[in-house]
Structure formats: structure tokens, C-alpha cells
């Protein structure tokens, strides 16, 4: 199915290009891909909490992880016209500094080439060589212009190692702003495992995935807001994974706490001229629609705007547990939330399903 | 103003009765009340993150903390007919086991007596002697029936030291269920400070208060859900502070992660008969309306129900920064959210402002 006038666009969908799979297979600590005898099946382990005997230890690595034709099959099965693919976490955070430039170039080139195999159907968010230092990062940002299918970059929450409120990131943010490359902010590290308590292993991966991920995103973007990043880099565009983590729900509380913080005011850290959280939500932030409920999606829409919501699937994660399912429940849940919140076939739902992404990310070949 | 047919009820409003102030003044570590020379003014420090020279070190302790007539003045100024007062965090979590029974009895009696000074206007949530062990706790729960103004208990997230998914808490939860005493779940400890990053002190108290508190509540209630507490104690009633932390927004993601967790299913931890998060939200959970925005309040209402939302202020915290304000901005923001979400003078807004609390907590003398 070619892109139509009202295409469905999936902006939250991950790939493990073959060279990244090889990189992960070559490792003996997290993140890694390996088999756990007696089984010979390969499994991907990306979080420490997943790497204990008492859990199912990561997840099976099937062809949908690395074979781009499986991505397109998945798209066809779920009526998705265009996907903006991104390398899955933890990206290249752990690559030695000396190897960072080459790793990022190789993977970005490979992802760009894979997009080229399905003209008009695949675009991508690039991966930055964060461990390589400022010059290496800026050079790769500059090089991305030459990659036809790149429409932004995916970024975790650690930045250069100190989080996204690190002043040393400001030149990087400015370079992305100037290159008109939005940041797709995505969690990976979650929260320190002590918060899950002694029984965490009884609950499978639920706590780190369901709570740790969105809380990590919320903390990262709030630290950026408090550091004044959006005053200093006023045109920076961020697309927040999982509908902003919990930012739409907490925006009011964050605003109230900022207003009531005598220390913040006395120091003039965020002076009279600061942008409010609400202003940032409507000016600098876009939200994906990967929130699995009308309740969450309504909050995301009300916080950011109907013109700032973008459909996503989180493929290849959350696959059907029963092998016979024709479509994935995780995808259907997010479709249903959009239809429930915005109606079926309405201008608003078409915008959320794809129109917003096409406009913001310029998804034309 | 006496309670009217549609009273306004504040269910989230804290007190520091004089004996609790004395207890805190007698301490030399957090939580404590002391002066910081050269100033002789007393300040309350309740969080480690507040106790560094680089922050404003806690908050001033004014008469509104301990003088119950100031509470009533505040209520009159903000058109609040009834308050359900509760001891402020960290309650009695830190009291030595041998002293727990007496401390809880003394404080619960004192709070009950203060309510008696303003008949029909003040009710209370009691404090449990958690460090005293099961028998001491159950004895105090049983004794609460004799205290005329008690309508539930306030509880932090640590329980007996291992969190609220601790199986040893089940008898306590059953005793509260059988005594028809709802639990007002309130955060205190936030998240480990490492998540706030190196620049946290630059942001005053915003990160731990705006994010740490609601995230702590969300984690605590989700751990209870995953432990099957609401299947094992099916009539347990919980009122969640700050509109559930972030539970309304994340409920869909939590449900999706539970459904997709092969480990959880294989182990049968939460079998086919489990209650969904949505069912628990509509059966066992009430939410206060202390969320400072229409966006958050709408999500709370949609998740839990118009008949399960209860107005609150968080008094005496978030006072006006300018001494001349007649009313507190933090209170007005929460009023405005209710009017914005449910209309002014509508049946739904009157229910949220007080009707729900009167019904659920039986607020008649």
C-alpha cells in the first residue's frame, strides 16, 4: 500500500539492523544477545532487572528484530503506510569513545539504506555517537543531511553521561535545532531497582517497563525544562515516547511546584521570562500516542494539542502472546484509543494517525 | 459556616498537633524541626534533599502547622465547610518500636480532640503505629472505633519496612477493610536522589516534590495491584493522594504490560481471575483532586469516576509566596480545575467538591 492522502504513520517502531545485532552478540555483558543453555534460541537482554535466573531473561530475538521485510509485513497487516524507524535502546551509549563515530556512521548508513528499499514507506531517526564527544557528535549531525531518509534523531536520557540538563549538551541541541532535526526522546534505564522492592522478580518485567520507562522520560524532560533548555534553544523540537511518560498528567503539579519554590525564584534560575510547562508542551513538544488507553491519550491531547499527537506501535516489542493472532493487541489498543478519543475518520484522528507526522517530519520522498 | 446540603470538603489537609511538633523538635536528624543560625525561626525538614546548605532547607513552621484555629481560618477563607485532617508525613514511621503504641494513641487522641472543638467541621484520618508490629497496629485499629471523628487512616508507602506489597500487611489491610476504614495513601520518601542528577540542587525542591512524590505513590499502588492485594482483600478502600500520583495516566500501560508478561502469566501470579487496573480504579480506589490542572483532573475522573473524586488542598503546604494574597493560588488552581472539568454548580462538581467525601467517609456528626 503506497502512502495515500491520509496515511497512517508509525513514529515509534524499532529496528536492530544486522550490524547492531552482531555488535550485541559480540558482548558478554548487558546489553547483549546470547543463548541461555539448554535452549539455543537467541535472547536479547537490555536491562539488569531482566538478567536474573528468576525472570524469563530478556526476550526472544526473532526475524522481526533485524529483517526489514518483516517490518513491512507488520505494517501491511496493521494498515500502516509509513514507519519512521529508530534503532532500539540502548543505542550506542556503551560504545567506547574511539569507536563511536564509526559505529554511528555504519548504523545510520545501514538504516538509511534499508529505508531506501521501500521508497516512501520508510523513514528513520538517526543515532548519535554520544560517547564520542562534542566534535564527533556535531560531525555526525552535519552528515545526516546527506542521508535521504533521516528525519530526526533518537535520544536516551543520559546524554553525555550526566543527563539532558547538562550544559555541555546545549551546543548539540543547537546543532539539532539548526538542522531542523527533532529529537525522539526514549527511555532505557528506568529507575534504580531499589524502588521496586524485594518482590520485584515476582512481577516479571512489569514494574521497570510499565513504570520505570515513563518515569525516566518524565524526569529527563523535566530536568531539561528546569535547566532552561527551551529558553536557550527556543526552536528545539522534542517528540516524547509513551505520550510523554507522565508529563501531561504531572504538568500542573510541576508548574505549581515551580511557582511555589522560593529558592528557584530567589536564584533567578527560571526568571520571569521562563516558558511555562504548558507553553513548552504546545511549542517544543510532540507526543506519540503509545499510551494504551483513552484516558492517557486524552490527557496527552489536552496537554499538547490535537495537532501534536503521533501514532506509534513500539514494534517489535509487545508481540501477541498467542501465535495465531492476526493483529497485535498492543497495536489495536493504541488504534482504539485514537478512535475513542478523536473519533474514526475525523480530521483529528487522521491527523493523529499520520497527518501530524507527515507535516512535522516532512515525510515525502 | 456550617455544613450545608452541598458542603465543600477538603480531604487532603495536614496537621502537626503540638505533641508531634515537640517530638520533631526533640530530634537531631531528619525528620526534625530546628532553627538554622543566624536565624532563630523554626524550620521543618522532612526530606534529605531539603537538608543541604545549598537549598532553603525545609520550610518555615508557622502557626498554621500546629494551631487548629488557623486551619479553620484557612477553611473559612477558602469556602471549605469540612476538613478531614491528617498527620503530615513522615507520620510515625521512625518511632522506636517500644514507643509506637503510645505515640500513635497520643497523637490520634489529640487529633480527635481537636476535631471535637469544631463540631461538624473537622474529621480525621488516624495514624498507625507501624513500627510497633502487628499486634500493636491491630489494637490501635480496633481502638479507633472509639474515636468519634476518625474516618480512615493515613498511610505512607513503606508499610512495615518492605513496601505495601508485603504479605505481612495483609492482616492489617483486612482489619482496615473490616473496620470500614479507608486508607489515605500519601507519599513521603520520593525516589532515590541519584535520579535527579548533579544539578538537582539548582532546582530547589521541584524534582522530589513534583515528580518524586507522585511517582512514589504510583509505584506503591502498582506493587499492591501486582501482589494481588485487591483480590485478597476485595473490599479494601484506598484514597490516593495527588490524584493517584500518575496511576490514571499509566493505567493503560500497566494493563498492557501485565497482559504481555509471559513470566507473570506462566507463574500464575495474577491468574485469569485477576482484577484489571481499571476495575480496581473503579471499585477500590478513590482519588483526591490535588493535581493542579484540568488535564490531570480529567484523566483522574475518566479513570476512576465522577463519583470517586474528592477535593483537597494540601494545606499548610504551598502557601502564597506574597504575604498579601487573600486566597492561596495552590487552592484556587485545584478549584478551577474542578470547575473547568465538571462545570460550576453542576451535580458532578458538587460531588467532587464534597458530596463524594461526605458519602464515602460518612461525614456527619
Amino acid at each position: 500500500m503506497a502512502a495515500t492522502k491520509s496515511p497512517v504513520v508509525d513514529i515509534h517502531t524499532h529496528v536492530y539492523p544486522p550490524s547492531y545485532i552482531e555488535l550485541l552478540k559480540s558482548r558478554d555483558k548487558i546489553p547483549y544477545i546470547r543463548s541461555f543453555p539448554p535452549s539455543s534460541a537467541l535472547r536479547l537482554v537490555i536491562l539488569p532487572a531482566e538478567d536474573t535466573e528468576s525472570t524469563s531473561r530478556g526476550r526472544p530475538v526473532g526475524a522481526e528484530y533485524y529483517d526489514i521485510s518483516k517490518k513491512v509485513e507488520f505494517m501491511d497487516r496493521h494498515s500502516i503506510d509509513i514507519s519512521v524507524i529508530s534503532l532500539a535502546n540502548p543505542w550506542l551509549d556503551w560504545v567506547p569513545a574511539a569507536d563511536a563515530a564509526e559505529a554511528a556512521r555504519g548504523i545510520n548508513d545501514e538504516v538509511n539504506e534499508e529505508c531506501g528499499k521501500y521508497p516512501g514507506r520508510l523513514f528513520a531517526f538517526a543515532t548519535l555517537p554520544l560517547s564520542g564527544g562534542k566534535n564527533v557528535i556535531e560531525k555526525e549531525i552535519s552528515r545526516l543531511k546527506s542521508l535521504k531518509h533521516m528525519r530526526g534523531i533518537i535520544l536516551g536520557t543520559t546524554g553525555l553521561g550526566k543527563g539532558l540538563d547538562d550544559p555541555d549538551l546545549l551546543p548539540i541541541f543547537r546543532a539539532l535545532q539548526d538542522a531542523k532535526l527533532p529529537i525522539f526522546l526514549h527511555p532505557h534505564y528506568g529507575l534504580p531497582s531499589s524502588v521496586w522492592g524485594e518482590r520485584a522478580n515476582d512481577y516479571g518485567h512489569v514494574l521497570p517497563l510499565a513504570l520505570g520507562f515513563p518515569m525516566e522520560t518524565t524526569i529527563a524532560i523535566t530536568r531539561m525544562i528546569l535547566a532552561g533548555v527551551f529558553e536557550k534553544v527556543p526552536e528545539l523540537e522534542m517528540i516524547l515516547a509513551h505520550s510523554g511518560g507522565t508529563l501531561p498528567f504531572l504538568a500542573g503539579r510541576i508548574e505549581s511546584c515551580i511557582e511555589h519554590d522560593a529558592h528557584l525564584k530567589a536564584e533567578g534560575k527560571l526568571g520571569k521570562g521562563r516558558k511555562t510547562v504548558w507553553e513548552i508542551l504546545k511549542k517544543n513538544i510532540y507526543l506519540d500516542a503509545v499510551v494504551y488507553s483513552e484516558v492517557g491519550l486524552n490527557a496527552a491531547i489536552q496537554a499538547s494539542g490535537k495537532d501534536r499527537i503521533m501514532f506509534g506501535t513500539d514494534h517489535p516489542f509487545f508481540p501477541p502472546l498467542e501465535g495465531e493472532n492476526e493483529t497485535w493487541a498492543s497495536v489495536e489498543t493504541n488504534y482504539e484509543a485514537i478512535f475513542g478519543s478523536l473519533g474514526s475518520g475525523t480530521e483529528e484522528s487522521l491527523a493523529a494517525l499520520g497527518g501530524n507526522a507527515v507535516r512535522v517530519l516532512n515525510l515525502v520522498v
Side-chain angles (χ1 to χ4, degrees), chain A:
Chain A
M1 183 182 351
T4 64
K5 189 159 167 278
S6 286
V8 174
V9 180
D10 179 359
I11 67 117
H12 189 154
T13 178
H14 300 296
V15 292
Y16 290 80
S19 63
Y20 193 56
I21 294 272
E22 290 310 312
L23 206 53
L24 291 169
K25 277 161 79 172
S26 73
R27 290 172 54 78
D28 60 5
K29 55 184 180 178
I30 294 174
Y32 59 21
I33 289 175
R34 52 166 284 203
S35 61
F36 296 92
S39 170
S40 62
L42 291 177
R43 296 184 75 87
L44 166 69
V45 184
I46 48 180
L47 294 171
E50 301 176 335
D51 199 32
T52 68
E53 293 295 344
S54 59
T55 75
S56 39
R57 222 155 172 173
R59 53 196 62 66
V61 177
E64 69 277 13
Y65 277 64
Y66 49 78
D67 181 344
I68 196 71
S69 74
K70 297 288 179 189
K71 177 76 72 187
V72 178
E73 260 176 43
F74 165 83
M75 290 164 62
D76 289 343
R77 185 175 301 171
H78 294 87
S79 309
I80 295 164
D81 300 293
I82 300 173
S83 286
V84 186
I85 61 179
S86 50
L87 193 67
N89 47 310
W91 314 288
L92 300 170
D93 286 11
W94 41 274
V95 171
D99 303 337
E102 191 184 334
R105 272 199 309 269
I107 282 178
N108 288 332
D109 284 349
E110 189 173 6
V111 168
N112 187 58
E113 277 164 29
E114 296 208 318
C115 291
K117 294 178 186 166
Y118 296 89
R121 296 207 63 188
L122 295 178
F123 296 87
F125 294 122
T127 306
L128 294 184
L130 286 176
S131 57
K134 179 171 175 288
N135 289 346
V136 165
I137 301 169
E138 290 188 346
K139 198 167 165 192
E140 184 63 9
I141 292 173
S142 173
R143 200 184 71 91
L144 293 178
K145 286 178 216 142
S146 67
L147 301 188
K148 187 173 171 189
H149 306 283
M150 291 299 172
R151 291 297 186 272
I153 63 115
I154 186 166
L155 188 70
T157 65
T158 51
L160 304 173
K162 296 182 176 180
L164 303 186
D165 53 353
D166 180 354
D168 288 345
L169 275 170
L170 287 171
I172 311 294
F173 289 147
R174 286 202 188 93
L176 291 166
Q177 167 191 262
D178 295 346
K180 298 194 191 311
L181 291 170
I183 296 170
F184 179 36
L185 177 62
H186 194 289
H188 167 68
Y189 294 94
L191 296 180
S193 58
S194 62
V195 303
W196 312 131
E198 291 182 7
R199 299 188 59 190
N201 285 340
D202 290 350
Y203 312 140
H205 304 165
V206 174
L207 289 169
L209 280 181
L211 306 187
F213 265 31
M215 291 174 178
E216 178 189 357
T217 305
T218 311
I219 293 168
I221 187 72
T222 305
R223 284 170 55 181
M224 289 178 72
I225 292 169
L226 292 172
V229 169
F230 298 100
E231 287 78 9
K232 291 168 186 148
V233 195
E235 305 295 325
L236 187 65
E237 294 193 308
M238 311 275 301
I239 302 166
L240 305 188
H242 313 117
S243 297
T246 63
L247 184 66
F249 191 79
L250 291 181
R253 185 170 173 87
I254 298 166
E255 263 303 300
S256 179
C257 285
I258 292 173
E259 278 298 301
H260 285 84
D261 201 283
H263 177 76
L264 255 189
K265 290 201 167 175
E267 296 282 319
K269 302 280 180 193
L270 282 173
K272 292 277 180 197
R274 77 173 176 96
K275 289 178 173 175
T276 68
V277 180
W278 302 110
E279 285 166 348
I280 292 167
L281 272 161
K282 289 178 191 302
K283 161 73 185 170
N284 301 92
I285 287 177
Y286 302 90
L287 302 172
D288 77 20
V290 183
V291 68
Y292 307 98
S293 78
E294 271 182 59
V295 175
L297 188 62
N298 285 338
I301 292 166
Q302 288 162 28
S304 188
K306 287 175 184 172
D307 56 340
R308 308 181 77 80
I309 299 291
M310 304 181 189
F311 176 75
T313 65
D314 221 344
H315 180 264
F317 301 110
F318 307 107
L321 290 175
E322 315 295 329
E324 301 178 322
N325 292 358
E326 189 60 25
T327 56
W328 294 23
S330 58
V331 179
E332 294 304 322
T333 306
N334 283 318
Y335 264 127
E336 283 160 17
I338 288 180
F339 297 140
S341 293
L342 298 172
S344 177
T346 62
E347 197 177 320
E348 285 93 350
S349 74
L350 295 175
L353 287 170
N356 293 337
V358 168
R359 182 188 80 248
V360 173
L361 299 173
N362 185 30
L363 302 182
V364 288
V365 193

